[in-house]
Amino acid sequence: MMYRFVKLFLMGALLLGMLACEERTGPFPPPFEVEIYRAPDQLNLIGSQTYRFEARVSHPAGLTAIKTVTLEFFLPGEETPVRAFTMVDDGGVKDPDAGDVVANDGIFTRVLNPRTTDLTFLSENVALFRMVATDDRDNAQESRMDTVAIIRSTPPKLLQVTAPDTLQSGVARFAFVATVSDSDGFEDILFVLVEGWRDNQRFFTDTLATADPAQETFTLTGDSTFAAEKQGLYQLRFAARDRSGNWSNTLERNIFIENTPPVVAQTVMPDTVQLPPPGQQYLIRILARVWDAQGLGDVRTVSFTVQPVDGDPGDPIEMFDNGNTQDNGDDVAGDGIFSRIITLNSNNTAATYLFTFTAEDRVGQVSVAVVDTMVIIQ
């Protein structure tokens, strides 16, 4: 009897031990910690750029347990912060200047703007910073210490821009030229940006990237293909950017961009085709050569409709210039020859059919229709 009792006791103890050792599964609450989520590599104290610092914070009791999050700056060799800034996770509601985007996502933000924030305490060429979170029980967690370079780079100055008043359709060559100066040296300028605006909306962006240090100019050259997807009067806005992220002043010029419709220059298809034997079918390749003064990049679609001479047209059939020989019958992509394979079945009606070809460009202009004829005989 005693042996049986001891045996049952040992089995029970073993079972309890197994239960105690059983692995627990989540979800587990996150730890209380703060880490640097985003920070700049440098701060330009006299520039026009703003700088975003973000901390990712978690707490076992949730974000409501977080009392404060601060961004602390240190000078080299110092152990006491020289300045601290409050970081927020309010989506810009309570403190819009802090720059937070999404409220209560655990990302606390502080945006520093050298034009509106006194950063003169950053007197060295480098500073150290960390992010500190404190909860409602005054427990604190710190991120790692990181460094940020402190620079003093003046923005470039855009002196002059030249651009044609009108960009004619089919023009062989044009140039945008910007003259720029920079007190930190011409090599400090990265590029000049040009944007095309109309009705308070930006329609296109390009870069003047060809630099001429001797003339202190940046140039963008192009031809009529620049007008692809563009048409009408635009305001060009030019601005230069340097290696510190500073933007120059903006200069504006007006330009009228011409855009002519595409042209279906040639069609290739059989004049006469005999119906296939019963139960069989023929594959017929249809080709159209299309040209656009603004380049093929301005061509949105090429298509054709088919109709008996005494009937109504069917739905448009799209053609392709993608080099897919098997599916579309197109041999070479981007050569301006658009292709499509159609199927002729034995039960199709013998008649004379009209094929009407059109091309549409990316500003909505449609070419003059080109009509070709195919006779289907028994």
Side-chain angles (χ1 to χ4, degrees):
M1 185 70 178
M2 183 65 178
Y3 172 76
R4 184 179 180 186
F5 172 78
V6 172
K7 183 177 180 181
L8 291 174
F9 175 79
L10 291 175
M11 291 178 63
L14 179 61
L15 180 60
L16 289 174
M18 292 176 62
L19 291 174
C21 294
E22 183 179 351
E23 182 179 356
R24 296 178 59 191
T25 59
F28 297 105
F32 179 25
E33 63 181 9
V34 55
E35 62 177 342
I36 299 172
Y37 183 68
R38 178 184 297 177
D41 296 325
Q42 64 181 23
L43 285 175
N44 183 12
L45 301 188
I46 57 176
S48 58
Q49 191 175 6
T50 59
Y51 300 93
R52 176 176 294 271
F53 291 82
E54 293 180 341
R56 190 203 303 269
V57 180
S58 62
H59 196 283
L63 293 177
T64 56
I66 302 299
K67 184 167 65 175
T68 61
V69 179
T70 56
L71 169 64
E72 297 182 344
F73 282 95
F74 298 78
L75 295 179
E78 300 290 336
E79 296 183 358
T80 303
V82 65
R83 185 75 181 273
F85 297 90
T86 301
M87 307 182 76
V88 299
D89 185 17
D90 65 351
V93 175
K94 296 180 180 179
D95 188 355
D97 294 335
D100 190 60
V101 178
V102 180
N104 303 317
D105 63 348
I107 305 298
F108 288 73
T109 307
R110 171 55 59 180
V111 171
L112 297 182
N113 186 342
R115 291 169 294 179
T116 58
T117 305
D118 182 10
L119 300 178
T120 55
F121 64 89
L122 298 172
S123 56
E124 306 290 338
N125 292 329
V126 66
L128 293 87
F129 69 92
R130 70 183 180 189
M131 299 166 184
V132 181
T134 304
D135 67 8
D136 51 11
R137 295 186 177 183
D138 291 329
N139 299 311
Q141 290 290 333
E142 302 171 354
S143 73
R144 60 179 172 84
M145 192 76 75
D146 207 342
T147 60
V148 58
I150 307 302
I151 64 173
R152 295 159 182 82
S153 175
T154 57
K157 186 174 182 180
L158 195 56
L159 302 177
Q160 179 183 350
V161 294
T162 59
D165 297 329
T166 301
L167 187 61
Q168 295 180 340
S169 178
V171 65
R173 182 180 175 85
F174 74 91
F176 298 154
V177 182
T179 305
V180 194
S181 67
D182 193 314
S183 60
D184 299 312
F186 184 80
E187 64 278 1
D188 188 48
I189 305 170
L190 281 177
F191 56 82
V192 175
L193 188 74
V194 58
E195 297 177 336
W197 287 75
R198 184 169 62 200
D199 300 328
N200 295 319
Q201 182 179 354
R202 184 177 61 190
F203 281 81
F204 60 87
T205 301
D206 216 320
T207 303
L208 286 68
T210 303
D212 183 352
Q215 301 296 324
E216 293 191 331
T217 59
F218 282 81
T219 303
L220 167 67
T221 58
D223 53 27
S224 62
T225 59
F226 180 82
E229 301 186 59
K230 309 177 187 74
Q231 185 184 49
L233 183 64
Y234 296 90
Q235 182 187 71
L236 299 178
R237 300 179 184 178
F238 296 84
R241 186 172 185 178
D242 68 13
R243 298 184 184 277
S244 300
N246 296 315
W247 285 99
S248 72
N249 56 306
T250 300
L251 294 181
E252 300 173 353
R253 294 290 183 273
N254 290 333
I255 187 171
F256 186 87
I257 299 178
E258 293 183 353
N259 188 313
T260 54
V263 175
V264 179
Q266 181 186 14
T267 61
V268 178
M269 52 184 275
D271 294 327
T272 304
V273 180
Q274 187 174 17
L275 285 173
Q280 297 186 27
Q281 58 182 209
Y282 293 151
L283 299 180
I284 303 174
R285 190 165 73 142
I286 310 296
L287 306 178
R289 184 184 298 276
V290 176
W291 177 84
D292 192 299
Q294 292 69 234
L296 291 175
D298 196 39
V299 178
R300 184 189 302 276
T301 59
V302 177
S303 62
F304 62 88
T305 60
V306 183
Q307 67 184 99
V309 291
D310 56 352
D312 297 323
D315 294 332
I317 300 173
E318 187 173 1
M319 307 181 74
F320 300 93
D321 185 15
N322 58 6
N324 188 333
T325 304
Q326 181 176 353
D327 295 334
N328 305 318
D330 191 63
D331 293 330
V332 180
D335 63 351
I337 299 176
F338 290 75
S339 311
R340 187 63 187 259
I341 296 174
I342 62 174
T343 302
L344 180 64
N345 296 305
S346 59
N347 58 356
N348 286 132
T349 302
T352 299
Y353 291 87
L354 303 179
F355 286 65
T356 303
F357 296 82
T358 55
E360 182 181 354
D361 67 15
R362 296 188 180 276
V363 295
Q365 301 177 117
V366 180
S367 69
V368 174
V370 172
V371 180
D372 206 342
T373 303
M374 181 184 296
V375 179
I376 307 298
I377 61 176
Q378 290 287 352

